[in-house]
Amino acid sequence: MTREPKYPVQTVMKAIEIINLLAKEGGSQGLGISEFSKELEMGKSTVHRLLDTLQFYGYIEKDEESSRYRLGWELYKIGQRIPQQNQLFNLSPNYLMELSRRTQETVNMGILKRGETVLISKIEGSRDALRVSVNPGEYESIHATGIGKALICEMSEAEVRELLNGRELLTVYTAHTIARTEDLLAELRQVRQQGYAVDAEEYCLGLYCIAMPIRDYTEKIIAAVSVSTPTVRMDEGKKRLVLEALGKCAHDISKALGYPG
């Protein structure tokens, strides 16, 4: 939890403490009423009433022979619904809007599909207003964009080469584009080390882009988010601002998708 509840309900909080304790300390044998009472500093009668209610709803189960309690399967069934309700495509646009507001620049989100970057969301930045526009199906290069490099930064060398269909020479878009697979692999190592990818006029002259990966509950990279700005505006101060805001956005989205890191 990031903060205390504004309107705490003590009974609910105590029930959650019981579930959390079972998840942390229960093991395969479970816990007995005396252990709950000691660890949570609750009276045994209070513990018994809470356990009885939680058992009724299937959130915990009781071993009648040992009188010890374990987590119930109802929690597992509920947990399986979480990824379905918290997917990349139904997230609130507020994450990206806040990133664009803080940086006053264009924000993009993309995924990997058929060996290319596919943009799934875009917010065009302005010093006066924010305008949201989504361009589904818009493809961009993997090796020449910040989003593309962020998406593949944790792939093995073999996976990257397979993604590029074994090509050693890559499509060149500007004089700054990475033209060789070996050079791309070296840059991906740097991306992994620093935690973000850069497109310094590699896809479009005059455009500078910084991107970071987004992870889900499996801890795998499933998307990337970027901030794009005219190169002339990207000085050291601007870069620090973008990295801070971008890092928060990528973290918040990943957390909403269940990433535990």
Side-chain angles (χ1 to χ4, degrees):
M1 293 176 63
T2 57
R3 62 173 180 82
E4 291 291 327
K6 189 174 182 180
Y7 305 107
V9 179
Q10 292 300 318
T11 303
V12 175
M13 294 177 71
K14 289 178 180 179
I16 292 173
E17 287 178 6
I18 284 177
I19 292 173
N20 287 343
L21 183 62
L22 271 176
K24 184 179 179 181
E25 305 289 348
S28 60
Q29 301 301 316
L31 296 173
I33 289 180
S34 295
E35 292 166 292
F36 285 115
S37 178
K38 179 181 178 181
E39 292 294 328
L40 300 177
E41 298 181 348
M42 296 181 194
K44 290 183 179 181
S45 60
T46 299
V47 170
H48 185 270
R49 290 195 299 271
L50 290 168
L51 290 171
D52 185 65
T53 302
L54 290 169
Q55 184 181 359
F56 174 79
Y57 284 100
Y59 295 155
I60 64 170
E61 295 176 351
K62 181 182 179 182
D63 185 317
E64 295 298 337
E65 292 186 6
S66 65
S67 295
R68 298 174 74 83
Y69 294 83
R70 298 186 297 265
L71 295 176
W73 284 102
E74 193 64 29
L75 283 175
Y76 177 76
K77 289 189 288 184
I78 292 173
Q80 288 185 307
R81 303 291 297 181
I82 295 173
Q84 300 173 23
Q85 295 184 12
N86 294 274
Q87 294 183 357
L88 191 64
F89 293 93
N90 61 17
L91 284 177
S92 167
N94 291 338
Y95 296 108
L96 301 186
M97 292 180 69
E98 175 63 13
L99 177 58
S100 186
R101 186 195 67 77
R102 289 186 63 185
T103 61
Q104 297 187 327
E105 304 294 353
T106 296
V107 171
N108 289 293
M109 182 184 290
I111 60 173
L112 184 64
K113 188 175 182 181
R114 300 195 193 96
E116 291 185 281
T117 299
V118 183
L119 296 184
I120 61 172
S121 187
K122 182 176 184 178
I123 297 178
E124 296 192 18
S126 166
R127 300 187 186 280
D128 300 317
L130 293 178
R131 181 162 58 89
V132 180
S133 61
V134 179
N135 305 302
E138 184 177 334
Y139 285 80
E140 289 188 344
S141 165
I142 282 285
H143 68 278
T145 61
I147 284 182
K149 285 181 276 189
L151 285 168
I152 67 173
C153 69
E154 291 188 352
M155 287 185 176
S156 68
E157 179 177 329
E159 289 172 325
V160 173
R161 291 186 181 279
E162 182 179 358
L163 189 69
L164 299 173
N165 297 316
R167 290 177 293 158
E168 290 300 328
L169 298 179
L170 307 175
T171 303
V172 173
Y173 299 95
T174 75
H176 306 285
T177 305
I178 296 174
R180 298 172 61 250
T181 297
E182 286 297 331
D183 295 332
L184 175 63
L185 291 169
E187 175 135 346
L188 293 178
R189 288 193 289 272
Q190 182 177 347
V191 172
R192 287 195 296 272
Q193 183 178 12
Q194 65 192 15
Y196 64 90
V198 170
D199 160 15
E201 298 186 294
E202 297 167 47
Y203 194 58
C204 180
L205 287 175
L207 190 65
Y208 193 102
C209 172
I210 302 177
M212 289 185 180
I214 292 171
R215 304 171 189 272
D216 67 2
Y217 64 98
T218 68
E219 303 190 22
K220 294 182 179 179
I221 296 173
I222 62 164
V225 60
S226 72
V227 173
S228 299
T229 179
T231 304
V232 295
R233 290 211 293 264
M234 185 54 76
D235 56 20
E236 285 304 312
K238 182 74 170 185
K239 187 173 182 178
R240 285 195 297 270
L241 170 66
V242 169
L243 285 173
E244 179 183 354
L246 187 60
K248 183 180 187 306
C249 179
H251 171 270
D252 289 348
I253 293 176
S254 296
K255 184 177 179 181
L257 296 173
Y259 175 59

